[in-house]
Amino acid sequence: MSKPQDSTRQPPRQIGAEEALIRAALTPEINHRVRSARMVAGRAVIVAEAGDLSPTDRAALEADITAALSPLSGVDEVRVALTGERRRRRLIAVGSGKGGVGKSTLTTNLAVALARMGRKVGVIDGDIYGPSQPKLLKTEGIKPGATPEGDKLVAIDSPYGVKVLSMGHIVAPGKALAWRGPMTGKALSQLVDAEWGDTDLLLVDLPPGTGDVQLSMLSAHKPDGAILVSTPQDLALIDAARAGQLFEQGEVPIIGLVENMAGYCCPECGHISDPFGSGGVEKFAAALEIPFLGRVPLTLETRIAGDKGEPPAAGDGDAAAPFVAIAQKLARWLETGTV
């Protein structure tokens, strides 16, 4: 005969809900360091990385966590454990199935927008044959240094608080590279393994397609996530799907899709036309159940700014807004795993 049910028995603990409640009370900067958060008998127990902080900053971090969590209902005590482990640098790939869809411009402006949010960001120009980041980040003609041991390149500081490395910084301007696949993989590794200082996030501006650079990256430097860029027309979407399949096969999470060149606003009359179509990427994302991160319009201002090495995201004008909105979603994904 079964025992009568104990009506006083407590429901099982919802550990995921507890962590979400704790993290919601912490700032994004602190959440970026938190490795675990749980409740134990009225105690909020937090483990956070602090290996890159001075003793003063470690004490400030512990105090900030305690101050944020103490007012929470059900929290009688806050215990903070700070580890000596340095935060692992995270790698986000920005890719597309075809060329000419504006992923280099997107990568640059996302990096600049994230840097303005306080993140320490670097850009790797993975387009070995057609590097564009030196121009976009106004670092043309600058050669990277080397570590004292001479075994690593040292990333270049751009004027926008973003570090950058590109084959365009190493090879003479205008020189064509006639390299086979294995050489491009080695070149990418040289850029990724460079000395990036305190940078904790690297955006990789990939070449179009699903070739040797992408395969080398997946095998040697697996990204934490990938953003796919496409223009709205069907041909670009077909190629974007191929790029997405490559990342899925490599078990790299797709953070979301961006629709670039989404409408053109005439600078003379203000009329908006859609030379590449409209809304195709958002519909594509919905069909595949992939987050849609936003649209970036085709504007003369953005094109001119790119040629001058002055990313719109470095300012506060209308051209910056789409990039900032997408960067905010990427930042949210980095902190919570969802946009």
Side-chain angles (χ1 to χ4, degrees):
M1 185 175 178
S2 62
K3 295 182 179 179
Q5 189 175 8
D6 183 0
S7 61
T8 64
R9 195 168 72 181
Q10 296 296 317
R13 289 173 57 212
Q14 301 294 318
I15 296 177
E18 290 175 354
E19 179 170 351
L21 179 66
I22 291 172
R23 285 186 174 273
L26 300 173
T27 66
E29 292 76 18
I30 293 177
N31 268 309
H32 190 52
R33 294 181 175 276
V34 171
R35 288 297 159 260
S36 69
R38 58 197 179 95
M39 289 289 294
V40 180
R43 293 191 300 270
V45 181
I46 312 299
V47 178
E49 292 180 3
D52 57 335
L53 298 180
S54 67
T56 301
D57 288 339
R58 288 170 67 95
L61 175 62
E62 184 173 354
D64 289 343
I65 293 174
T66 302
L69 300 184
S70 294
L72 292 182
S73 176
V75 175
D76 301 320
E77 181 185 357
V78 178
R79 292 188 180 180
V80 181
L82 300 180
T83 71
E85 180 183 358
R86 290 184 64 87
R87 287 179 291 168
R88 185 178 65 85
R89 184 173 291 126
R90 303 174 82 177
L91 202 67
I92 301 298
V94 181
S96 64
K98 64 189 279 89
V101 298
K103 77 188 146 30
S104 294
T105 297
L106 177 69
T107 303
T108 300
N109 282 277
L110 285 183
V112 172
L114 288 166
R116 295 188 71 190
M117 294 176 193
R119 292 184 174 269
K120 299 184 183 300
V121 190
V123 169
I124 293 173
D125 194 342
D127 198 340
I128 307 299
Y129 299 117
S132 53
Q133 290 300 334
K135 176 178 282 293
L136 290 169
L137 282 169
K138 198 175 276 190
T139 54
E140 287 181 294
I142 302 176
K143 297 290 184 182
T147 57
E149 299 78 14
D151 59 341
K152 290 184 178 181
L153 296 172
V154 176
I156 295 169
D157 289 311
S158 77
Y160 306 106
V162 173
K163 292 182 182 294
V164 59
L165 272 179
S166 167
M167 288 306 296
H169 294 125
I170 301 170
V171 179
K175 181 179 180 181
L177 292 178
W179 288 358
R180 295 187 182 275
M183 294 183 69
T184 62
K186 290 179 180 178
L188 179 65
S189 291
Q190 188 179 23
L191 301 180
V192 175
D193 293 333
E195 175 52 60
W196 288 94
D198 61 355
T199 298
D200 57 19
L201 175 66
L202 295 178
L203 303 186
V204 185
D205 175 16
L206 289 173
T210 55
D212 292 308
V213 171
Q214 286 86 345
L215 294 174
S216 297
M217 180 187 63
L218 288 175
S219 63
H221 307 283
K222 185 177 176 179
D224 294 274
I227 292 175
L228 298 180
V229 188
S230 179
T231 48
Q233 77 267 37
D234 290 344
L235 183 60
L237 288 169
I238 291 170
D239 291 332
R242 294 192 184 101
Q245 289 171 2
L246 178 69
F247 287 119
E248 287 176 349
Q249 291 169 6
E251 298 182 342
V252 174
I254 306 297
I255 300 170
L257 279 80
V258 173
E259 183 172 283
N260 199 20
M261 306 182 192
Y264 173 70
C265 180
C266 175
E268 299 295 331
C269 67
H271 174 71
I272 296 177
S273 59
D274 297 298
F276 297 103
S278 176
V281 177
E282 185 172 10
K283 294 176 184 176
F284 183 72
L288 297 182
E289 297 183 341
I290 296 173
F292 178 67
L293 301 181
R295 295 182 176 85
V296 179
L298 177 64
T299 67
L300 183 61
E301 180 183 353
T302 299
R303 196 276 299 168
I304 293 174
D307 286 347
K308 294 170 64 177
E310 298 175 356
D316 299 312
D318 292 341
F323 299 113
V324 172
I326 296 168
Q328 289 171 339
K329 291 183 178 180
L330 174 55
R332 192 177 306 128
W333 185 90
L334 290 166
E335 293 154 10
T336 67
T338 181
V339 299

